[in-house]
Structure formats: structure tokens, C-alpha cells
Amino acid sequence: MTKVYGTGTYDFRRHRVAEYPLATPADSKAVGHMAGGGSGAVPSSITLSEIQRDRLTKIAEANWLTSSDAAARVKELDPDLVRKIYETELLVKEGSKPVPLQRVMILEVSQYLENYLWPHFDPLTATFEHVMSIIIMVNEKFRENVAAWTCFHERKDAFKGFLERILRLKEGRELSIAEKTNYLVFMINAFQSLEDEVVSRTILRLASLKSWHSLSYGRFQMELCLNPGLIKKWKRMIKKEPVKGGGSHLDPSTTVEVMFVRNLIEEFLEILDSQVLPQKQFCSGDDEIFDCTSSGLVNDACVLYCERFMEFLIDLLSQLPTRRYLRPLVADVAVVAKCHLSALYRHEKGKLFAQLVDLLQFYEGFEINDHTGTQLTDHEVLETHYSRLQSFQLLAFKKMEKLRELALTNIGSIHKRANLSKKLSVLSPEELRDFVCCKLKLVSKEDPWSERVDFLIEVMVSYFEKQQSQKEAINALPLYPNELIMWDESVVPSINYSGEGCLALPKLNLQFLTLHDYLLRNFNLFRLESTYEIREDIQEAVPHLLAYINNDGETAFRGWSRMGVPVKEFKISEVKQPNIGEVKPASVTAEVTYSISSYRAQIRSEWDALKEHDVLFLLSIRPSFEPLSAEEEEKASVPQKLGLQYVRGCEVIEIRDEEGNLMNDFSGRIKRDEWKPPKGELRTVTVALDTAQYHMDVSNIAEKGAEDVYGTFNVLMRRKPKENNFKAILESIRDLMNEYCIVPKWLENIFLGYGDPSAAQWTNMPDLLETVDFKDTFIDADHLKECFVDDEVSFINSNGTENLNPRAPFRIKLPRTLKPSNGALTGNAVDTFDQKEALIIEAYTPPDPGPYPQDQPKQNSVRFTPTQVEAIISGIQPGLTMVVGPPGTGKTDTAVQILNVLYHNCPSQRTLIITHSNQALNDLFEKIMQRDVPARYLLRLGQGEQELATDLDFSRQGRVNAMLVRRLELLSEVERLARSLQLPEDVGYTCETAGYFWLLHVYSRWEQFLAACAENKEKPTFVQDRFPFKEFFSDTPHPVFTGESFEKDMRAAMGCFCHLKTMFQELEECRAFELLKSTADRANYLMTKQAKIVAMTCTHAALKRKDFLQLGFKYDNLLMEESAQILEIETFIPMLLQRQEDGHARLKRCILIGDHHQLPPVVKNMAFQKYSHMDQSLFTRFVRLGIPYIELNAQGRARPSIAKLYNWRYRELGDLASVKEAVIFNRANAGFAYDYQLVDVPDYLDKGETTPSPWFYQNEGEAEYVVSVYIYMRLLGYPANKISILTTYNGQKLLIRDVINRRCVPYHFIGPPSKVTTVDKFQGQQNDFILLSLVRTRFVGHLRDVRRLIVAMSRARLGLYVFCRRSLFEQCYELQPTFQLLLQRPDHLALNVNEITSYTERDVENPGPKHHVHLVSGIEEMGSIIDRLYQEKLRLEFHKNEPYLNQVEPSENTENSMDKPEQAEDTDMPQQAEDTPHEIKEATTLDNHVAENMPSENSAEDVTMVDNSDGVAKEETGVGAAE
């Protein structure tokens, strides 16, 4: 097997895989340059056979392609071949695209880079074409978001030489515009890969202090004056520079790193000035230039280059390591001012360019100290602005007579752009140039632009004008999208973004400038992603209404829509005065009336379920009077097609029925017993409008005479509640931006991506827990020794003496220098340790918990591996703990034990649990309840609580009720205690009286008893005789005292007292519920004070953040499960659900558990995914930054053979003993020769993959084959709930469901499988048998994302059968390790035809005798095998059950005899329509047989099955053997 790369630190790239918009050379021009550079073309139908016939594929086969069966060596490099391929296939001579995408894709798939270009690369002899070819291949890998640098790591020195060659590539050579663009894209990609050590070492030299040699002298002086600390650094650097023969230093401008960025900028400015609009040279004068820009003659390739260059500069200025020394360079050349004055900035085709320039301007003036990296406060920014203007006025007063008026005027009248420009217009061009270049030194006098007056004024104004504060800008922004932003393609691109162009969007990369920058980028992206989803919903809902213009000329509706309802009346009811210091109103409320008369009961109930804080949308629809012609339809935008004029969001305050009664009130205004069902069909909903949007609309009406938007609304639209949380999350982010000091100090630098990656590891943190009580973590002493193999373990007793027979539980004194165990490779490098650490372990006897069974603590039964123990130790100590949990390695068990140990060691601390899904949260919660954490300290918030599989209710209301019930139980116990002590029973009246009773009567008696015991230790029966509460404990299952020894009885007495103490402690906790009368107060008290472990999903945390802050919610520890599946911002918000204490964050521990090798968070829009990396989780970013993590290394889910298909992706993933030894894992899958197999599926009915609509992939052959194998398994007796069918595309999922409805559902003895779903949806779940369809036959598609492959391969426990096109997938470089293993077995399905039941004694390694193993030739043969098996089963059953079958009446309707329990399962399949079986015309061989002849499995005698509950094969005999 080939060497597997990419299991270490380097390979960490974002792996979102692009789909392939293939424009043929002929139509590439027609596609043109779209906004965002994304081709709108649907993939053209290029088939696999065409690719195989293609000349490039033939060249590849002859020179570098190696297949699994032909291990021919790659030929030596032929430079002429590389040049020929480059010139004929890769070089673009005309058109806007920098590369011919389809040709590049074919080369990249054929492993041109890995097998040919790179192995033969020599930095000294490689040709220009060779280097450019590598650049194009690397760029393509980035476009598809697969690991790009992986193949370079074997030859790091050559890679360094390669990067050096790239830096000098332009020397003495003029590149075409397409080559310049490709070169630039490579530089962008390199600067986005700073986590890769080899890349960053070379690339960061370009952004070092040396680059200041290229600054103009004036700017250089100014920068050193502003940063005096750099003067020493500069002098030291000059000393180190190499010296020429004569003793003088070399001219620094000759070195690459000094001039590289400056040269790139100057090259860009030249293209922007002279090549974008080639005809500009014929124009003279400003007016004519403007005329030129309006004409359409624009060089699209140059526009793309300019957009890409803006992206390059934005990337440089938005990361601190590159920003620090390059920002002065960008300012020195005045890039932003020159772009503002360029013709492209004002041109209609320069819209995206203009947006990018504005983004660059924003980052150039970002509120940060570049050299310390600290964020500037609003006050500091204002102070800097005022001092700058003051110095300017002083200089003007001294040196410029003409500017005397400007020098003496107040600052408020000159810091606006218009005023300052007017005041500067008094200077002549020569005076202005002298002032800006020589006195202010803002630009160099050598700059050719310095002769332009408009340029000089632009530079001055942009330097001195007052910028709007970033906080003000965000606070003035509406949170709901409107129609203008929704359909702006350069901000919210459509789904088919191909990754070829850039967008005016921020990126989430490794590092951020400040927390404000982090929040701002996330705010913008989250807002735009939700805008995209809302846009899709509007486009879905509006057409169903069938709007038209009626005879009165008004909009009316013929149709109906589930999510949109016509508005009967809309009126604004209240506009409140603005708050002090603001211009927008404090609030705007409106009332919307609509009718639900046209809806069925179910949809009515959905509309009636609207409640406070739900978000609705008001739409104004005005269709055109005449339908649009075909030509108009083609040109029209989406809003024009829909007749959509305006979109405004609003939030529900309350909803009333026709009689004005309040509905769905959760505030307590309506008592439960007074609730009545809603009356009538009219509903009036009171909504809060967005005040910022309202202010903008009203200003437009007043100033520009615009239409009154609020008089035109005629449709109210709702969205699915689960998808409609965006407003609360945006509000949470906006609130965070207005706060200060929000992240714990120990986490802040790491969070932003700077400093020492291991700074927040527990060994580097203050306030450690020195001695930890591990409770039930270790089963016994041997288990403990296994976990600390590298340490010198010594056991002692509580008194310090040596313990020769240690027993659990143990307390361990943890030294800071504790080294990781074998499996726990903490961080990205493993240190070698020589001497063993002495570890002192105290084995202690826990106190007796009490005499009743319920007093005994619940014990852990999991034998944790050394790595899991490593994770537990790290998790209970302060700091950041990151645990990577590969599939089946017990992530949840580890998390639960961390919580358990943490609760017992820090009982006063509170822990917050966050997960991505309700399912994961419930799994975690159910396991916590089985540990020794009292149920009264557990709380589960959010909607998914109902799904908890427990008898107890853990919601707020449920916990309050439980506390009240418990209070009554305890008070009755107190009364019983009082009776046993012959005291009045009224002491148990309230918790307060019980507290006094404890102090006066119980505790005092105990103290007297202890004093007496101290004097009578020699009497063995003393405790039995004198124990004061003997009568109370007379009802214990076993006698409390034996009278045999004083010590034994004293321990039992202590246990009894412990029981009493716990009882009164619980009563003290119930006291608050006695004092607080309202349910809401009690629930809030429970959440903020009582509960020690609070669990919720990340969505709930973001939605309710404001409420948590108001209630004073506090927590010390945060544990996050599935953290690699949670968006950055949704991970960040849960860290900040509490107010700061004296300017400090209370959070002490942050435990992130996840797996970055599995699929990332779901982001629906491809552009945000690919361009902005919005699907990067915080967990993944931390791993990329090199923050130490612990990787669990023993899986207990799958057979070891199946685990090999994915364990190459992890460091050292082994198997637990259970999967090696258990019978079920060692026994073969009956009827199959192998436990896993790749099944090659050829074209079916002359078709491979099909795309009925764009991005909707199906493969009928695979669908039929998969379902045939499923039917085969069911006929053998495999239970349906143990089989899941997975696929990589939604289109195929729907097709397979159709086939199952046709071939399986009508027959009760087959029925649907457990689930038919996509790989992405099945993440986090598992089943015994997985049938997987990979669909694609042309290009590999998004399975090239290795993370999707890992999820697909790791879902099966016992059997995995992969249906795909072998010739396509075996060539894919990224998937090699898995597919090479799969292809070691036959690629035709191997069946063991001798086995006709689901039970076999055959060993898993043994396929069976050769004459029993049959290789299935294809789909048709599989059909006949099913047919034969069916007949065979019938014959067997007939002979065995002849007497029984004679009594069975044949059934008329097959669907009536369906297995009811099977239907009731969560099949994820649609219910079959009643009359469907009669309508089935096309059926396979099986379907031609009448189902009634087949007895149900329940009546079969002596049939072997796989047991449902635990998957262990066992033999069932007798009639009625249940499935």
C-alpha cells in the first residue's frame, strides 16, 4: 500500500469540494464575467468515456498514470511534454478565464502534479512552464478545497527551492494577464496557508521589516516616529545584512523580499490604469474619461485580475503577521485612493471591484495597534483623530498662509469630507503637491500620480476625515435583509458558485485582528447566509400564491401557499421617540390581520402555533399586468419575475384570535385553566418592525420622495421554526460587539490565533487541582497501572503508610510535568522522556453513604483506556482541553466521566454542556444520569427535552415539580424522625422549621453521641446501644449494627448520619422553592442557582443569551460535544452567556470534543463555504493552529477489518479488545463471502450518472443494485432495522426511496430498511450493515472531501458494501488508502450461495469453499439470484409448515398484511399510499410472485436471525420466533 500522507499537522486544509461547472471552450466566452466570477453554467454532459478518449488522458496513461493492477513505473520527465501541455492545454490566450477549467480538472484528476510534475521537479533546472503548471495544479486543488500541500512534504528542501523560484519567476519575463492572475491566486493561497511551516517560513519573509526598504523616505521617517520601538530593531537588522567586498552593505532593493510586494502593487496599478479600459488612451479630459467608462469595452481578464489583487491585499491586511509591516506600504503607494479614482471603480462592470476596494479601505483603517495587536477603544480612536487634525492645523498655521482659515477653524467643521475638500481647494496644484508630498509626507514626490490634484485631495481627505465608528455602523444596520441585499449576486451569490472568481465577502481563516474583527466577519457572514436561506424560502413560497392584477387594478391571489398568507389589513400602531443620542425610533409596532379560512386543519394549526419572538416577513407583491414574454423572462431578475417590490422582516409580540383573545401566551398573563381554543378564522398579530430599517425607509420618503413601503404589504410569510433563529443569533453577536473584555484572558490570544499554542494547556495554567479524587474512573489498581505505564506508581493509605493491597477509589497527586500516555499524542509533536515520574496514589475507603439501597452511588463500568484517562485528567484541570474522538472511540463516555469527576472535586462549580444536535445532547444526558450526580443538580434546556428516554422530567418545569414533590417526601421523613425521637411532629411543617429541628435536636444529639464514643472505643456494642437515631433506621433492608466491633458499627453510624445530613441539605435547597411563589421565579432560581450541570444546544444558547444575562446565569466550566460540527460563532457565543465579574471572565475550563476528520458544519450556500470558509469550526481552526489535543485511539464500533478502511486517517487508531474477541465480530456475514466489498456497477440501460436538474445527481443502476442486495438480505432473514442504505447525494436518496416503495414496501416480509439517507445526515449514527451508493461516474464530486469518505466508511459495524464505478474512484489521489484496500477483494459482489439463512458458523476471514462463492456479474443476475432464493425459501417453508399453511387464507390486499411493528420503526421512508400496490406495473422478478404465498417470518420454524437488541447472532426455534 502506498505511503499515506496527511495524517499529521500539515494536511489540515479546509476540504470543501467544489462541484464542476464545465464550460466548453466554445461557450466559455458566452458565459462571460459574472459577478463573483462564478460561472452560472450548468455542468455540461461530458461522460467518463469521453474523458477516457481525451488526448490528455491518453498522455497521462502513457507517462504517469498508475492503476492498482498495472504498477508500471512513471516515466522520466520530458520538459518538452510539460511545455507542450502547458502551451496547448493550460495557457489561455483570450477570454476572461485565467485557466481552461475542464482541461485543468482532467489533468488534476489524473494526478499530473503528484505523479509527474513534482517528483521530477528540480529548482535549478525546472523550466518556466514546469513552475507555472505546478502553480495551476495547486490553485485547482485549492479551488476544489482538497489538501493542496500534501504531496510536497516528502521533499521539503525542494519545496523551499520551488517557492524561491516562484518569487523570482517574473525576473526578465513578461507574463500574460492570465498568467499574472494564476500567479496572484497562488500567492493568495500561500498566504492563506500560514499554518503550514514550510510555506510560512518562505512566504512570511515577504512581509518582514525588510520590506520597509521599499517605502518612500518620508513615509519611512513617519512610521519610525510613530513606533520608536522599531528603531532599535531596524538598526539590528541593518547590521545583520550581508556585506559586499568593499565593506559596504548590499543594496537592499536588489533582494526579493524587499521589493516583491511593492513590485506587485505597481504592476497592478499599471494594469488598472492602462489595460482594464484599453481605449482610455484616446480620451482626454475628465469628462471624456467618464464617457469612456460607460461604454462596454472592458477587458474582463484584467477586471478579474484587479478583483483578485484586491482580495490579495485584503488578506494581507486582515492577518496581523502580514499586516504589521505591509500596511504602511499599502498606504505609501495610496492604493485605495488610486482605486477610488480609477475608471473601473465607477464602471458598471466594476461593481464587485468597488465593493472590494471599500473592504480594503475598511481593513486599512482598522481600529488596532499594528505592533502590539491590541484593539483600540472608541475613545482612543477619537483621541488619535483629534491629535492628528490638531497637528495638521498647527503645520498649516506655521507653513501655509493660504490655509490660515483652516488652521483657526474648529475641528467639527473640517473633519467631514466635503468641508475639508472645499478648504483645500484654495491651494494651487504646486502648493498642494508640496504640502502633501514634502510637508505631510503622505505620498512620495516621485509618484507619477502626485501631479493630479484630485488624487492629492483624495489622499488628504481620506487621511484626515473622521471615520464612522465600527460599532456605530453595526448598530445602524437592519438585522433583517431587504430586497436590495437579497438579490445582490456579489454579496449573496447563487448556489452554483464554482470558486473561479472572488467575492466581496470576509473570510474566516486562521487568525483574526481583534475580537471585534472576529465578531464582525462572523456577523456579516451569518447575516448573508441567513439572507440566502430567506431568499430561497421567498422564491419557494410566492409563486404558489398565483398573484395577478384584478379589475380594480389591485393585486389579488388565485392560489394558496403553506408558508405565505394574503394580508387583510396592515397598520402601524406605535412609533416611539428615539433614545437619547440615537436617530432611529426606540420601537415601531404594527398590527397585521390575515385569514386562515382557506387552510386545512394541519396548516391552520401551524399558523396558530405562532408565538412571541417568532420572525415573520412582510412582502409587497405587484405582478406585471401582462405576463412576461419569453425574452423579457430571460432578462428579468427574480424579484421582477415574482412581482416582488419590497421585503421587510418583523418579530411577533403577540397573536390574537377573531374575538381579540390572546393566543400562545407564555408570559403567565393567561392562567392554564383559563385557556380556550382560538375562535373564528381571522388572526391579528402584533409585530415589532426593525427600527433601523424603518428610519431608513421614512428618511427616503421625506428626502427623495420614495414610495411608502409600509402602505404596500399584501403577503405575510413565515418560515420553519428550526430555520428561523437568525435574528436572535445576530442580536447576540451585535450585543457582544458593544461589550468590552469578553473572553477569558487565558484564552484570548489563542482564540485570535497568536502566541504559544500550548499556553492554555492545563500544565501551563495557574490554580491547578493538585490532588484529584478520581472516584469510579479506575476499576481496580491494575487498571490504574495500565493507564500510567510511563510513571513510577506508588500506593499509600490515607495516613501516609504504604498500601500493599490497593483498591479503588483513588486520589492522585498530579504533577505539572505529567507526561502523556502512549496513545495520547498531545499536540503535534511527541516529546521523548527518559526518567519516570513518581506518582503518589492514595487508596482510600469512601465513607459509608447510608443504609438504604438508594444511598449507594451508581458506579462506572467502563474500563477507560490510557488515552481516555489522559483526556479526563486534562478536562478536570483548568484551561483548554481538546479531545479528538474518531468514530466509536467513546467520546461520550469520556465526556460524562469528566463531568462526574469535576462535580465531585469542585462541587460548588457549575458546568454548561453544549452540543450541536438534540440527539447528541440526549445521549450525553442519559449517560450522566447513570453516574453518581444527583438528579436535582441536572437541568436540560430547549425543545429536545421531550425526546429524553427517561422516566424523569429534566426540563425547568419538570425539575421544579420534582423539587416540590421531593420537599413533601423529605418533610414526611422529618416528621417520622421527630416521632422516633418522641418530639412533636410540627417540626416538619416547612423547610425552615426542619432546619431549626436539625440544629436543635438532630445535630446536638449527634455531637453528644460522638463525645460519648470517644471515651468508650473499647466497648464493641457501645455504638449499637447508644446510637440516638436507631428507631428511625429500623426499616432498613439489613440491620444497621452488628455489635461485633466498635469500628464497624461506627462506620455504619457515620453512614446513617450521612443519610440524615443529605436529607436536611436537600431540604435547605428546597427552601427557595417554598419562598418563591410563581412558577417562572422558581424555574429561574433553579437555572441560576440550583442546577450544577446545565445542558442545551448551541442554537438555544444563542437564542436565549439575552435572557441568561438578565437572570444572572453563571457557570465555571464549558463542555462542548460535536464541536467540529458547530459553526465558529455558535461555538463562541456559549462561552459568553454570563456577565463579567470585575472585568474578568469567570470561565475556568473549556473542553472541546469533536473530530475534524469528519464532516464540518452545514453551510447551505457554496460561496460562503468555499470562498469564506464559513464551514470552518472553532475546533478545526484550533487544530490547524497547532493547539495540543488528545486523540482517542481505540475504537469499539466496527470489525477491525472495516476499521482499517478509515483508521489510516488517524494517528494510531487501534481496536478495543471487545471488537477482536466478541463472537459477533468474528463470525462472517451469512450469504456474503466478505464483510466489506467494493461492487463495480457498470452502465445500466446505457446510463451512468444522470442530472435531471442541476446538482441533483442520480444513478439508476446503483439504486436498483443496492435495493436488490437489501432484498437478498431480507430474504436471508437479516432484520430490516439492522440495515441502512446511504448515498452521497440527495437525488440518489430520493431515487432509492422510490425503488424501495416499488419493490419492498408492498411486501410485508421485506418492508423498508431502518434508514435511507445521505452520508452527511447519517453522521453521528451507526448500524450493523451499510449499503453505500457513491452515484458519480463522470467526476468524483464531493466525495473527494476525505472527511465525507471517513464518515461513509465508519458507519458500519459488521458489513459494508460500496456500490460505485471502480475506474473513476480508484484513480482519485485523496481516496487512495481506502480504495486500495477495497480493491484487494473482487469488484463483483461475492455471495456464499450455500447459506440461505442469516446465521452462519463461518469465520469472518474465511470466504467459504470456492464452489460456494459466486461472483455476481451484474444487476440482472442479482435479480435472478433473489428469485431463486425466494423459491428455495418457499419450498423449505412449505415442507416445514405444510399443516399450518393449509389453514392460511390467501390475502387479497398485500399491504394489509404488512408487518405492523416494522412500519412503526423510524424508517425515514414515506408511508405507502393505500392503493399503490394495485398500480405497480414495473416490478422485478420478485415482484411477479404474489406475496401471500410467502409465510411471514414470524411463522417460520427453525429460522436463524440476528437479534434486534444487541446484534448478537443466536438461534431461535419453534413457531413464533420473533424478529
Side-chain angles (χ1 to χ4, degrees), residues 72-88:
R73 288 310 309 135
V74 174
K75 288 188 181 178
E76 284 303 306
L77 179 81
D78 177 357
D80 288 340
L81 178 65
V82 173
R83 183 180 53 76
K84 189 177 161 194
I85 290 175
Y86 179 72
E87 287 175 356
T88 58

Side-chain angles (χ1 to χ4, degrees), residues 521-573:
R521 292 193 217 185
N522 276 289
F523 179 86
N524 286 326
L525 283 176
F526 197 89
R527 182 166 171 261
L528 295 171
E529 164 73 357
S530 51
T531 300
Y532 169 75
E533 291 175 19
I534 293 161
R535 179 175 87 183
E536 296 297 299
D537 287 349
I538 291 175
Q539 287 173 200
E540 174 69 27
V542 170
H544 293 290
L545 288 165
L546 305 177
Y548 69 101
I549 301 292
N550 64 14
N551 295 336
D552 302 333
E554 291 183 1
T555 305
F557 302 97
R558 289 196 189 93
W560 66 277
S561 167
R562 182 177 196 149
M563 307 309 272
V565 62
V567 169
K568 296 269 184 204
E569 186 187 4
F570 174 88
K571 62 174 188 226
I572 289 181
S573 51

Side-chain angles (χ1 to χ4, degrees), residues 599-748:
Y599 289 132
R600 292 198 307 269
Q602 188 199 345
I603 302 177
R604 278 188 184 205
S605 64
E606 288 175 11
W607 278 96
D608 283 349
L610 288 176
K611 58 186 185 300
E612 191 182 9
H613 301 307
D614 280 358
V615 171
L616 301 172
F617 287 88
L618 292 158
L619 313 180
S620 171
I621 293 175
R622 200 178 300 143
S624 55
F625 193 71
E626 292 283 322
L628 297 176
S629 66
E631 199 177 318
E632 288 171 329
E633 181 90 22
E634 203 173 308
K635 289 180 185 171
S637 65
V638 175
Q640 285 167 339
K641 288 178 192 170
L642 297 175
L644 189 69
Q645 303 292 314
Y646 305 109
V647 180
R648 296 291 180 267
C650 58
E651 184 179 323
V652 175
I653 298 172
E654 60 181 36
I655 177 168
R656 294 180 181 273
D657 65 11
E658 203 162 324
E659 296 180 3
N661 300 320
L662 206 55
M663 295 163 55
N664 303 343
D665 175 61
F666 297 102
S667 60
R669 282 181 288 175
I670 293 179
K671 294 190 170 56
R672 282 193 170 186
D673 48 357
E674 292 173 10
W675 183 86
K676 296 187 187 84
K679 301 274 177 30
E681 291 174 339
L682 286 181
R683 301 283 179 266
T684 301
V685 58
T686 307
V687 295
L689 298 171
D690 190 302
T691 53
Q693 182 70 58
Y694 182 80
H695 175 69
M696 284 157 63
D697 290 334
V698 172
S699 304
N700 278 345
I701 296 168
E703 292 165 17
K704 300 176 185 169
E707 183 180 18
D708 178 9
V709 176
Y710 298 91
T712 65
F713 295 133
N714 50 15
V715 172
L716 182 69
M717 191 189 93
R718 65 187 173 91
R719 297 177 70 220
K720 290 175 186 165
K722 275 191 176 177
E723 296 168 5
N724 211 14
N725 328 329
F726 73 96
K727 179 176 180 274
I729 295 173
L730 289 175
E731 266 183 336
S732 293
I733 305 174
R734 190 166 69 179
D735 292 346
L736 285 169
M737 282 197 240
N738 289 309
E739 292 170 19
Y740 184 66
C741 174
I742 47 181
V743 173
K745 277 279 174 278
W746 54 268
L747 192 57
E748 187 166 348

Side-chain angles (χ1 to χ4, degrees), residues 1202-1462:
I1202 293 177
K1204 280 196 180 112
L1205 295 172
Y1206 57 87
N1207 66 12
W1208 58 271
R1209 195 77 181 102
Y1210 299 92
R1211 282 178 180 155
E1212 290 181 354
L1213 181 56
D1215 306 298
L1216 286 172
S1218 59
V1219 293
K1220 293 176 184 169
E1221 295 159 10
V1223 175
I1224 188 169
F1225 289 109
N1226 285 305
R1227 198 169 280 160
N1229 299 334
F1232 294 93
Y1234 300 103
D1235 52 348
Y1236 70 80
Q1237 229 188 321
L1238 178 146
V1239 182
D1240 185 27
V1241 183
D1243 281 0
Y1244 177 68
L1245 307 177
D1246 298 325
K1247 280 190 302 189
E1249 73 173 65
T1250 54
T1251 20
S1253 59
W1255 323 105
F1256 191 79
Y1257 295 98
Q1258 295 187 330
N1259 184 323
E1260 196 181 345
E1262 284 182 22
E1264 293 285 353
Y1265 207 152
V1266 165
V1267 174
S1268 294
V1269 174
Y1270 166 68
I1271 294 171
Y1272 172 74
M1273 293 175 78
R1274 292 291 289 128
L1275 289 173
L1276 288 180
Y1278 284 90
N1281 68 333
K1282 294 292 176 194
I1283 308 167
S1284 293
I1285 298 178
L1286 303 184
T1287 176
T1288 44
Y1289 289 92
N1290 272 314
Q1292 183 74 345
K1293 173 188 78 178
L1294 298 173
L1295 178 61
I1296 291 173
R1297 285 184 183 178
D1298 284 348
V1299 176
I1300 283 174
N1301 281 335
R1302 174 165 58 82
R1303 294 179 59 187
C1304 306
V1305 172
Y1307 304 98
H1308 69 280
F1309 54 90
I1310 296 172
S1314 164
K1315 271 213 165 80
V1316 177
T1317 187
T1318 58
V1319 170
D1320 297 47
K1321 282 268 187 237
F1322 205 66
Q1323 181 162 340
Q1325 300 173 61
Q1326 62 185 49
N1327 209 341
D1328 285 0
F1329 304 97
I1330 298 289
L1331 306 177
L1332 174 65
S1333 164
L1334 299 184
V1335 189
R1336 302 301 296 273
T1337 56
R1338 289 194 288 117
F1339 282 105
V1340 174
H1342 66 194
L1343 195 73
R1344 275 194 79 179
D1345 184 339
V1346 181
R1347 297 173 300 182
R1348 188 167 280 103
L1349 176 81
I1350 298 303
V1351 174
M1353 294 295 130
S1354 59
R1355 301 303 99 199
R1357 292 179 68 237
L1358 304 175
L1360 172 67
Y1361 302 95
V1362 182
F1363 299 82
C1364 67
R1365 182 65 56 90
R1366 171 183 176 156
S1367 55
L1368 174 68
F1369 288 93
E1370 74 177 331
Q1371 291 299 345
C1372 184
Y1373 178 74
E1374 287 76 20
L1375 314 182
Q1376 288 278 305
T1378 295
F1379 278 85
Q1380 283 185 354
L1381 268 177
L1382 286 168
L1383 291 168
Q1384 285 172 9
R1385 296 182 173 181
D1387 63 2
H1388 285 63
L1389 183 63
L1391 301 181
N1392 192 311
V1393 288
N1394 203 39
E1395 294 165 345
I1396 57 165
T1397 68
S1398 64
Y1399 179 76
T1400 178
E1401 288 288 345
R1402 184 164 52 87
D1403 187 73
V1404 68
E1405 300 294 329
N1406 170 25
K1410 275 195 176 174
H1411 61 282
H1412 287 169
V1413 176
H1414 176 72
L1415 295 180
V1416 181
S1417 62
I1419 302 164
E1420 291 79 7
E1421 191 188 354
M1422 192 69 211
S1424 60
I1425 288 171
I1426 293 171
D1427 193 31
R1428 278 205 308 276
L1429 179 66
Y1430 177 74
Q1431 297 289 357
E1432 181 71 16
K1433 294 278 281 187
L1434 270 184
R1435 196 174 54 73
L1436 279 172
E1437 301 303 337
F1438 187 78
H1439 287 308
K1440 286 180 184 172
N1441 298 313
E1442 198 167 359
Y1444 171 76
L1445 283 172
N1446 288 337
Q1447 301 163 20
V1448 176
E1449 283 294 319
S1451 160
E1452 281 288 315
N1453 263 351
T1454 53
E1455 78 271 22
N1456 295 338
S1457 60
M1458 270 188 210
D1459 217 354
K1460 292 291 185 258
E1462 201 166 70

Side-chain angles (χ1 to χ4, degrees), residues 1470-1489:
Q1471 289 288 334
Q1472 191 67 9
E1474 274 183 31
D1475 54 351
T1476 311
H1478 301 296
E1479 295 172 2
I1480 293 171
K1481 296 280 184 281
E1482 296 170 36
T1484 58
T1485 349
L1486 166 66
D1487 305 328
N1488 295 331
H1489 296 287

Side-chain angles (χ1 to χ4, degrees), residues 213 235-252:
H213 278 298
K235 286 177 178 169
R236 276 201 308 273
M237 186 189 78
I238 295 289
K239 277 183 190 170
K240 286 182 188 170
E241 281 182 359
V243 178
K244 278 195 293 193
S248 62
H249 286 284
L250 283 168
D251 178 10

